[in-house]
Amino acid sequence: MFKTLKRAVLLGGAAAGGAAVFYLTADTDTQMAIASATGPLLRMLDPELSHVIAIQATARGLMPRDPRPDPPSLATKVFGLSFPNPIGLAAGFDKNAEAVAGLMGLGFGFVEVGSITPRPQPGNPSPRVFRIPELKATINRYGFNNLGADAAQDHLAAFEKAAAADPSIKRGPLGVNLGKNKSSKDATQDYCIGLTRLGQHADYIVINVSSPNTPGLRALQGRKELEALVKQVKGTRDRMLWGPSGPPPLLIKVAPDLSEPDKRDIATVALGCGVDGLVVSNTTIQRPGEVAKYPAATEAGGLSGAPLFPMSTQVLSDLYRLTGGRLPIVGVGGVGSGEDAYKKIRAGASLVQLYTAFAYEGPALIPAIKRDLAACLARDGFKSVEEAVGADHPDIARPKGQAGGGRGAAGGRKSWWW
Ligand SMILES: Cc1cc2nc3c(=O)[nH]c(=O)nc-3n(C[C@H](O)[C@H](O)[C@H](O)COP(=O)(O)O)c2cc1C
């Protein structure tokens, strides 16, 4: 009995060792495929638990690193910042900025962390995330569960230290997405606190006024409310002393559930108040098409993934027209392929983000999207992403070298604070 057990342990150890050697010596595509193949296993677990495991594995360096340079046609400059490729990770995956180095290493052109609120908060009771795998969709009502601004600041400082010591830690721009605490009476103050605590670590800042899971948050998208909010946050930013590369650009993240007057108001405020860009869009409270047939559709929360693509791309296209192509837009919602990313860019996105498709498909999706996007650009005769931005709106003449405001031509990170 003891002998059999000993033999089983030895055999198991040898198999695990062999598998580890195979993984470590495999090429990047194979490593990405192996990491992605854990998806079906993770999907057997509760969605929140598999999210936690994915974050912790990434934070501990257990994900593959993609050292390959991106196709030159994908390099782009937006808000004066240089992006190796326009494919970014959307907010909500790394809420506490715990896994930035690992996520950058997967080949994202940029990573947005958050939403981060000034004080830690637990979010809504579990269960609060629901999969609809047949449609590659998810419904979540997390409600800004996060460790708060102090913890995020510690994590971002640790990331910067690690990146300074190890040049192999790939650095694309880092966005910090700010939210408000559920119990807070003064939303503006919360965003200003987030900015003062975390602005030093951010290449750009996102004011998230579009999560459906914090009561009253979406009302901040109204014209008067948004104008007052943007003026205050921008005023706070501009009163702060920044390094040579200037203050971080300020973006507003909006919902896909907007009426025509809502969209006009957002465009007017964004242009009138000097917002640097828009993130379009967050999750939807609607249950379009097929979604309504699935039991999870009755759960409260925001829908993301493939079914969100048509409506979020329509709102992106509308806001591009309403702003006359003068504001850089980050297109997000239902992107799951290079062709989807290309459609967002043609509709008016200067940059693209994804979350749900990445959660379903795993790391191998990122190089596949980049490769297919480069092929779409080449197929239609575009030499760069910038050339294709807004191509579906030939009547709108986009300002050349659109850079938005913010960090100025030098881009990069500030060197000091106060
Ligand atoms: C589980 C989950 C949590 C999210 N949390 C946030 C968040 O904290 N802040 C935010 O701005 N967006 C959040 N989002 C929205 C995403 O950033 C993105 O806008 C949305 O999911 C649409 O993109 P996708 O279809 O590629 O997922 C979350 C999305 C999901 C699925």
Side-chain angles (χ1 to χ4, degrees), residues 51 89-93 95 112-116 128-129 136 138-145 177-178 206 208-211 213 253-254 279-284 302-309 312 332-336 353-359:
H51 179 193
L89 178 64
F93 188 77
K95 285 179 183 279
E112 189 173 308
V113 298
S115 295
I116 299 159
R128 48 193 181 176
V129 194
K136 295 266 159 73
T138 298
I139 291 170
N140 93 84
R141 53 168 180 267
Y142 266 125
F144 290 165
N145 55 317
N177 178 307
L178 302 176
V206 178
N208 176 14
V209 285
S210 49
S211 165
N213 304 313
K253 182 163 180 177
V254 300
V279 183
V280 185
S281 71
N282 215 311
T283 55
T284 177
L303 172 78
S304 61
L308 176 60
F309 185 85
S312 61
V332 48
V335 172
Q353 288 178 329
L354 68 153
Y355 179 160
T356 304
F358 171 62

Side-chain angles (χ1 to χ4, degrees), residues 9 24 39 58 80 97-98 109 112 115 117 148 154 169 183 194 208 224 229 254 271 275 324 346 365 384:
V9 168
L24 291 171
T58 312
E98 291 169 281
E112 189 173 308
S115 295
T117 57
D154 289 347
I169 293 180
S183 61
N208 176 14
K224 260 177 46 199
L229 174 65
V254 300
L271 289 174
V275 166
R346 289 191 61 112
L365 182 65
S384 66

